[in-house]
């Protein structure tokens, strides 16, 4: 996962490889380390609802809970939309007003992208994610999983720890796909922790 920042505070440009298990930012005070850390932490820890029209089509196809495909093109669209989301929410990241954010970060740009190595890693890595969407449908625990060397994601339903048959509404399927795409593009490092010294 390539994470590129332009014009973020004092940082003219920076590029990080988020495939690494540890990223260390070091340097003198007031060089942008904290700004960069906050943005990376937000991108990896926040679980935003990103509108990707292709998710709705996939959701429609998988209403019966069979499966969907982690499509390369959709992953790229998702990351473009996620980049836009981050760029439009710098006020939230830094706890400032929209007006102050526009003044301070008018020319800032954060871009997330995958390269061929990332796509291969996603395909080769077995992934399993469990979710209970309490606000939407608390009756099921959903498990989304893919095996190694596959891009097909299977959706299973559990009730009280027992596998059951179920059917997805389009809204739930859409939300599950959003969460799984976020999980897949950052795997195996799907959470970040920031330690400042």
């Amino acid at each position: 996962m390539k994470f590129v920042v332009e014009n973020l505070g004092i940082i003219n440009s920076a590029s990080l490889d988020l495939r690494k298990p540890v990223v260390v930012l070091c340097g003198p005070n007031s060089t942008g380390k904290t700004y960069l850390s906050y943005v990376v932490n937000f991108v990896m820890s926040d679980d935003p609802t990103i509108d990707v029209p292709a998710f709705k089509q996939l959701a429609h196809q998988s209403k019966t809970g069979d499966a969907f495909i982690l499509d390369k093109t959709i992953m790229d669209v998702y990351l473009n939309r996620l980049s836009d989301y981050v760029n439009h929410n710098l006020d939230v990241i830094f706890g400032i007003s929209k007006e102050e954010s526009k003044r301070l970060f008018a020319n800032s740009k954060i871009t997330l992208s995958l390269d061929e190595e990332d796509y291969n890693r996603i395909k080769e890595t077995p992934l399993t994610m469990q979710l209970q969407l309490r606000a939407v449908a608390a009756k099921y625990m959903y498990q989304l999983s893919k095996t190694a060397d596959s891009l097909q994601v299977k959706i299973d339903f559990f009730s009280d720890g027992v596998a059951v048959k179920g059917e997805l509404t389009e809204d739930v399927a859409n939300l599950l796909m959003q969460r799984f795409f976020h999980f897949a593009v950052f795997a195996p490092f799907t959470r970040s922790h920031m330690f400042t010294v």
Side-chain angles (χ1 to χ4, degrees):
M1 163 74 65
K2 191 172 182 186
F3 179 94
V4 177
V5 172
E6 297 171 52
N7 303 312
L8 183 69
I10 198 168
I11 301 171
N12 290 327
S13 67
S15 178
L16 299 175
D17 183 353
L18 297 183
R19 286 181 294 226
K20 308 292 184 198
V22 176
V23 175
V24 177
L25 304 174
C26 59
N29 289 341
S30 301
T31 54
K33 299 179 305 294
T34 302
Y35 271 20
L36 195 53
S37 298
Y38 272 63
V39 175
V40 169
N41 194 55
F42 179 80
V43 165
M44 293 187 71
S45 299
D46 194 53
D47 206 355
T49 300
I50 305 294
D51 182 33
V52 176
F55 285 162
K56 291 179 177 65
Q57 186 175 349
L58 287 178
H60 181 73
Q61 293 168 2
S62 65
K63 280 196 299 189
T64 57
D66 295 331
F68 63 92
I69 301 296
L70 275 174
D71 181 87
K72 182 177 178 178
T73 304
I74 298 174
M75 283 189 265
D76 288 341
V77 171
Y78 175 76
L79 285 176
N80 286 336
R81 296 283 174 103
L82 181 57
S83 298
D84 289 343
Y85 176 82
V86 173
N87 286 312
H88 288 98
N89 284 283
L90 292 173
D91 58 315
V92 174
I93 295 170
F94 297 112
I96 58 177
S97 69
K98 281 272 188 209
E99 294 74 29
E100 189 70 2
S101 179
K102 285 178 187 173
R103 188 181 70 75
L104 292 173
F105 304 115
N107 298 315
S108 297
K109 184 178 179 186
I110 288 91
T111 307
L112 301 159
S113 62
L114 300 173
D115 61 20
E116 212 52 48
E117 187 177 338
D118 291 313
Y119 295 119
N120 291 334
R121 173 190 44 82
I122 291 167
K123 184 176 181 182
E124 292 167 4
T125 305
L127 297 173
T128 300
M129 181 180 79
Q130 292 183 334
L131 281 170
Q132 186 160 18
L133 305 174
R134 296 185 193 285
V136 184
K139 114 184 194 185
Y140 295 122
M141 171 72 76
Y142 301 97
Q143 180 173 291
L144 290 84
S145 56
K146 69 170 247 14
T147 59
D149 296 318
S150 171
L151 290 173
Q152 183 171 333
V153 180
K154 186 173 182 264
I155 305 171
D156 292 305
F157 301 77
F158 292 88
S159 181
D160 296 324
V162 177
V164 294
K165 281 282 189 196
E167 188 170 318
L168 294 172
T169 65
E170 243 173 79
D171 288 342
V172 170
N174 187 30
L175 186 55
L176 291 175
M177 280 169 218
Q178 289 184 43
R179 299 276 172 89
F180 196 80
F181 270 79
H182 189 85
F183 178 73
V185 297
F186 288 102
F189 310 112
T190 56
R191 289 282 176 239
S192 74
H193 300 281
M194 188 170 61
F195 301 98
T196 58
V197 180

